[in-house]
Amino acid sequence: MNLTRFEQFWLAEHQRLRDATDPKLQQQQFKFSEVTANTTQAQILQRAARLSERQGVLTQLHHWQQLRRLLTLVFAALAVLAGIGSSQAILSQPQPISLLFALSLLLLPNLLLFVFWLVFALRRPRPSGVTGVAYALLTLLQRKRGEGALEHSWLNHVQQQRLLQPLMALTTHGFWLLLSSAAWLTLLIYLSFNDYSFQWATTILASHQVQSIAQAINSLPHVLFAAELPLVTNSAAALTDANAAGRWLTLCLMTYGILPRALAALGALLLFFWRSQHMRLELQAEGYAAVVQGIARVQQRATTVDADNGDASEQLRFQYASHGSGHYTVSIDYEAAADFTASDDYLGVVATYADKQALVARFKDTPSAQLQVRVATRLTPDRSSLRYLAELAATTQQLTVILVRGQQATYLTPWQQQLEQYGVDYVVA
């Protein structure tokens, strides 16, 4: 079950919506004891993945991804065909070809829609433009298969994680980038191996107006590629240098058609990956609370180790060694801090009865000067745990208990009360 991070969070949102509508049914199909992850978020993601596999949601997700890839190929093919067609439409005009007409056909639709995207698309909370068409087709195909709930959870997921805008931008700019690239490549091939003539044709514009427009258009290509403007003659019917005109036309298409879309698509891609890596579950959302509580109850029972009430009249005595050497640290039962960095004096985790007795035997003959014992506060301070600490106290000059909060500090206060009762030094980490 290889799922991407995006798919894991998507399934978690899908499962949250199901839990919110029928929590009892979902709890019947999954035992909280199956969760083995450490953090609350990872536990919810793990549960959602396993439930999705059992309920057949993973199969639906794979269908969704297959349809998405198919539609991507279809839209990419349409973009390429449209780009090829636009260049051929220009080059099939009676010669000499008007440079202003060629630029208008190649650049104006692209630039106008780019401006519309900047003004309108970034403000819309739902897919629009090319993304909206693709999303509508994908949704229609999914609902025909009876998988509409997955589409609803996908939209919720990308909106909550602020992924909708970069996805829309990536789809839109990717489509126009393919179209412009296909048009540029077609234009380059035809101009390289065919002979065409060009002119600054106009009917109502004066020659100085054409000159001003041409210089304005050439300003950016000149800065980026040192493009030279083809000679604008006084006679609109006069031909210009075909070689210079062809090169200038391709550089203008590169500058105003390809580069803006490429930069926008790259920015959208980087933003999408950055936000994907920083996705977080809203644990306060409806549907998560019962799951978190259920996992906590099971793990609380599972982490109550060595439960031993012992003799109520038994009085533990913490007596310390009169001499010792060396400073050591050890974790009891497990290490609760995920970011804990072990030092050279760290002895590891002692969890089994044999490990615990081996640790006592190690220091019995050669006591330590200081022993720090790390204890997870989600474990109960039962009598067997305190009895073992008393055994360790006899093997060191100074015993310090480090109470590790971890993800849950359920029994922090009882631990503090018990250690204060017996006069044991402790710190809270």
Side-chain angles (χ1 to χ4, degrees):
M1 185 170 54
N2 295 323
L3 296 172
T4 64
R5 181 176 172 83
F6 179 89
E7 291 172 339
Q8 289 175 354
F9 277 77
W10 177 10
L11 290 176
E13 174 63 18
H14 182 73
Q15 192 58 48
R16 183 190 71 81
L17 295 175
R18 295 170 69 97
D19 287 331
T21 56
D22 196 351
K24 292 183 179 180
L25 175 62
Q26 307 308 316
Q27 294 180 16
Q28 290 173 359
Q29 296 179 349
F30 185 85
K31 296 180 180 179
F32 291 120
S33 58
E34 296 180 41
V35 173
T36 58
N38 294 327
T39 65
T40 303
Q41 178 172 283
Q43 291 166 352
I44 293 177
L45 294 176
Q46 185 183 59
R47 173 180 178 268
R50 292 184 177 178
L51 264 176
S52 298
E53 186 176 19
R54 295 176 188 177
Q55 297 169 345
V57 178
L58 279 185
T59 303
Q60 297 178 12
L61 186 144
H62 292 152
H63 290 161
W64 169 285
Q65 298 289 42
Q66 290 172 358
L67 286 173
R68 178 187 61 80
R69 295 186 189 100
L70 178 60
L71 285 177
T72 300
L73 291 175
V74 170
F75 273 75
L78 290 176
V80 170
L81 291 175
I84 295 174
S86 62
S87 289
Q88 287 185 334
I90 292 169
L91 298 176
S92 62
Q93 294 293 313
Q95 297 188 42
I97 299 172
S98 169
L99 284 173
L100 290 179
F101 175 76
L103 286 176
S104 300
L105 189 59
L106 287 172
L107 298 179
L108 272 183
N110 190 348
L111 291 176
L112 286 176
L113 289 174
F114 190 85
V115 173
F116 288 156
W117 175 82
L118 289 174
V119 175
F120 299 108
L122 292 177
R123 300 181 181 180
R124 294 181 63 87
R126 293 184 64 86
S128 59
V130 176
T131 312
V133 175
Y135 177 75
L137 288 175
L138 188 57
T139 300
L140 179 62
L141 294 174
Q142 287 292 109
R143 288 180 177 174
K144 284 187 175 181
R145 300 176 61 94
E147 301 169 356
L150 199 62
E151 167 265 327
H152 179 60
S153 61
W154 179 88
L155 186 58
N156 275 11
H157 165 56
V158 295
Q159 288 176 335
Q160 290 172 3
Q161 303 296 339
R162 299 184 304 147
L163 296 174
L164 180 59
Q165 287 183 342
L167 277 175
M168 290 172 56
L170 187 59
T171 303
T172 300
H173 297 307
F175 178 86
W176 282 100
L177 177 60
L178 275 176
L179 190 152
S180 299
S181 299
W184 178 83
L185 187 60
T186 303
L187 192 65
L188 188 65
I189 293 174
Y190 273 74
L191 292 179
S192 298
F193 303 106
N194 286 288
D195 184 23
Y196 295 93
S197 57
F198 298 92
Q199 68 175 173
W200 292 98
T202 180
T203 302
I204 61 175
L205 297 177
S207 60
H208 69 276
Q209 292 175 319
V210 174
Q211 179 78 29
S212 300
I213 294 173
Q215 289 178 345
I217 295 173
N218 188 58
S219 57
L220 193 55
H222 180 72
V223 172
L224 295 178
F225 304 107
E228 295 295 335
L229 181 66
L231 180 63
V232 181
T233 59
N234 293 329
S235 173
L239 300 180
T240 189
D241 183 359
N243 188 272
R247 286 198 303 268
W248 184 75
L249 192 60
T250 57
L251 289 176
C252 286
L253 182 54
M254 172 67 72
T255 303
Y256 296 107
I258 296 177
L259 287 182
R261 294 292 185 176
L263 292 175
L266 178 61
L269 182 63
L270 294 176
L271 180 61
F272 173 78
F273 277 118
W274 186 83
R275 288 184 177 177
S276 296
Q277 294 303 314
H278 291 79
M279 289 188 296
R280 294 291 182 271
L281 294 179
E282 296 181 7
L283 299 180
Q284 306 303 321
E286 182 184 4
Y288 283 147
V291 176
V292 173
Q293 293 173 2
I295 294 174
R297 284 194 300 268
V298 171
Q299 293 196 339
Q300 178 178 320
R301 293 195 297 268
T303 54
T304 304
V305 298
D306 295 336
D308 178 12
N309 293 326
D311 185 357
S313 62
E314 178 186 4
Q315 293 296 321
L316 297 178
R317 298 180 64 185
F318 282 76
Q319 295 180 333
Y320 299 89
S322 58
H323 65 280
S325 61
H327 299 261
Y328 302 94
T329 303
V330 66
S331 300
I332 299 298
D333 293 313
Y334 76 100
E335 175 51 52
D339 57 350
F340 173 64
T341 303
S343 57
D344 293 337
D345 60 2
Y346 183 60
L347 302 179
V349 177
V350 290
T352 65
Y353 176 80
D355 290 340
K356 293 178 180 179
Q357 294 307 309
L359 181 65
V360 174
R362 170 176 177 170
F363 291 116
K364 192 171 185 180
D365 297 329
T366 56
S368 63
Q370 183 182 34
L371 180 62
Q372 293 183 332
V373 179
R374 298 175 61 84
V375 178
T377 54
R378 69 187 298 176
L379 301 177
T380 56
D382 52 69
R383 200 158 193 80
S384 65
S385 300
L386 294 171
R387 188 184 297 120
Y388 182 62
L389 289 178
E391 289 185 59
L392 289 176
T395 67
T396 183
Q397 286 183 287
Q398 180 182 352
L399 176 68
T400 303
V401 177
I402 301 176
L403 299 176
V404 184
R405 292 176 179 270
Q407 294 295 321
Q408 297 177 353
T410 310
Y411 299 104
L412 176 60
T413 301
W415 269 109
Q416 292 174 316
Q417 294 172 348
Q418 291 286 348
L419 295 175
E420 290 172 359
Q421 176 184 344
Y422 293 106
V424 179
D425 292 337
Y426 70 87
V427 294
V428 179

